[in-house]
Amino acid sequence: MQHGTLAPALARGLLKLKDRIDAAGIPSSCLDQTINIATWNIREFGKKPRSEAAIHYVAEILGQFDLISVVELRENLGDLKRVLDILGPEWRAVYSGVVPDDGGNGERIGFIFDRRAVGFQGMAAVAVPPRVKVGGEYLIQDRFWWRLPYMASFCAGSFEFILIAAHIRWGNGDTDRLAEIELLAQWIDVFRQSEQATTRDLIVVGDFNIPSRRSALFKAITRYGLHVPKALLADTFGSNLARNKRYDQILQYPSEAYPDSFADKGGVLDFHVSDALVGELFPPELFPTMTMDKYTYQLSDHLPLWIQVRTDDARAKLEAMAG
């Protein structure tokens, strides 16, 4: 991490943030053995330049993980570059283009990773629903996503996997979201069994706007076998600032060859803690007009959701070959 020389107030803010990071209990990853993966909706990241303090805080949070999926990454990548400069020369990003209409909201999906721990394997693409031939044309039928899911192939240790990220529309209620989630679940199920899938190990992440595991939306995304790793099953925390809604998800298909690929370690990184403590990160003497709404555009209205993944599956592969 290359924070450089900081003003005293910003240095104090980073120390407070580090205390909150320590409280999250995120275990260190181990080269070729484990990686920490996170998904984070960084609110409108890039729409307007963030303050110097916010950029340092975002970098510090991202730096706790090896691979992070970011939704609400906007068309302007200036703030992403500022964050990568702080993270250091070993950090890289791959990201989608934007859907230019209002439904796409000018958003990208990005994957930020530390190449010392995670290798990009070359495949990066958006999800495209099946097309039907109508006359002489191939057309997408009734359902589509407002923002296209994005995927990329990675490896860590001997573990190869595809990370698929989505940002499901908010809409006017659960009914608006349900069609997108059903389409995504169907698409992933077909994709993983196709030749396009370079590996059957898929990790599905993002902001699904699912309020809880008891909702019809959760049943829809898990209909074809995706499930929540054990470490994230508890309903005692959410990924919004109030920690009472699990809008963000990390899901996987069970791996017959390597069923223990997900460690029993995961949760949220609560950088917020309490509305009353906003001034610890954004002191009134430097941010006299700070409100909770402005705060969410400096950091976010979502917390990072994370999981630790075991990446040494060499023994499982040999056992499969040995029969």
Side-chain angles (χ1 to χ4, degrees):
M1 200 78 66
Q2 300 178 357
H3 287 295
T5 303
L6 304 174
L10 178 49
R12 289 192 292 270
L14 272 171
L15 288 172
K16 290 292 185 182
L17 178 61
K18 283 179 174 291
D19 289 340
R20 300 176 191 186
I21 289 170
D22 290 345
I26 303 168
S28 298
S29 56
C30 185
L31 185 64
D32 293 336
Q33 295 184 35
T34 59
I35 57 170
N36 294 330
I37 293 178
T39 181
W40 190 15
N41 179 331
I42 308 179
R43 191 174 192 182
E44 295 192 354
F45 189 43
K47 183 177 181 180
K48 294 181 180 179
R50 276 165 160 77
S51 66
E52 180 187 8
I55 292 296
H56 282 275
Y57 296 156
V58 169
E60 187 67 29
I61 292 167
L62 293 174
Q64 306 310 307
F65 311 105
D66 302 297
L67 171 61
I68 312 99
S69 165
V70 175
V71 301
E72 291 202 25
L73 177 63
R74 301 301 288 266
E75 187 170 9
N76 188 317
L77 298 171
D79 276 359
L80 174 61
K81 183 179 184 305
R82 294 168 68 194
V83 164
L84 289 172
D85 286 343
I86 295 172
L87 287 170
E90 299 300 335
W91 285 79
R92 295 290 185 271
V94 293
Y95 41 80
S96 68
V98 301
V99 177
D101 58 40
D102 290 343
N105 202 34
E107 291 182 22
R108 308 173 186 268
I109 292 175
F111 300 131
I112 302 171
F113 60 97
D114 183 343
R115 65 176 185 174
R116 292 168 297 185
V118 178
F120 173 53
Q121 292 291 83
M123 188 273 284
V126 294
V128 179
R131 300 186 300 175
V132 174
K133 190 174 183 181
V134 180
E137 303 293 336
Y138 285 87
L139 304 175
I140 293 171
Q141 295 302 290
D142 298 335
R143 294 183 296 169
F144 199 50
W145 299 288
W146 278 31
R147 294 173 284 250
L148 297 175
Y150 185 57
M151 59 184 171
S153 56
F154 295 97
C155 68
S158 55
F159 183 60
E160 297 181 358
F161 61 98
I162 295 173
L163 191 63
I164 302 174
H167 187 194
I168 299 299
R169 65 180 293 197
W170 179 258
N172 294 315
D174 286 6
T175 303
D176 287 347
R177 301 171 215 164
L178 183 60
E180 284 201 350
I181 290 175
E182 287 178 336
L183 177 60
L184 179 63
Q186 292 168 4
W187 184 90
I188 292 172
D189 187 55
V190 172
F191 169 78
R192 76 185 179 105
Q193 299 176 63
S194 73
E195 292 185 1
Q196 293 185 68
T198 55
T199 173
R200 295 292 184 264
D201 286 304
L202 307 182
I203 301 174
V204 180
V205 302
D207 179 0
F208 296 87
N209 284 309
I210 295 174
S212 77
R213 290 192 294 117
R214 293 178 294 277
S215 77
L217 302 179
F218 183 80
K219 293 176 182 176
I221 193 62
T222 55
R223 178 179 177 183
Y224 299 98
L226 281 170
H227 75 246
V228 176
K230 287 187 295 183
L232 300 179
L233 280 175
D235 283 330
T236 55
F237 65 89
S239 59
N240 58 331
L241 296 189
R243 293 188 55 149
N244 59 4
K245 302 289 184 183
R246 187 73 67 83
Y247 293 130
D248 305 278
Q249 301 287 337
I250 297 176
L251 303 153
Q252 67 164 149
Y253 281 104
S255 171
E256 293 181 5
Y258 194 36
D260 296 325
S261 58
F262 277 65
D264 296 331
K265 299 172 183 176
V268 294
L269 193 168
D270 189 354
F271 58 77
H272 177 63
V273 181
S274 166
D275 293 0
L277 299 179
V278 168
E280 290 187 349
L281 303 184
F282 298 96
E285 63 269 25
L286 297 182
F287 299 91
T289 63
M290 182 63 68
T291 63
M292 273 305 302
D293 185 60
K294 291 180 179 178
Y295 169 83
T296 64
Y297 286 96
Q298 287 293 307
L299 283 178
S300 184
D301 53 351
H302 288 244
L303 304 172
L305 181 71
W306 64 273
I307 191 79
Q308 186 166 86
V309 178
R310 297 188 180 101
T311 60
D312 183 7
D313 64 348
R315 172 174 285 277
K317 288 179 178 178
L318 288 171
E319 289 174 346
M321 287 185 273

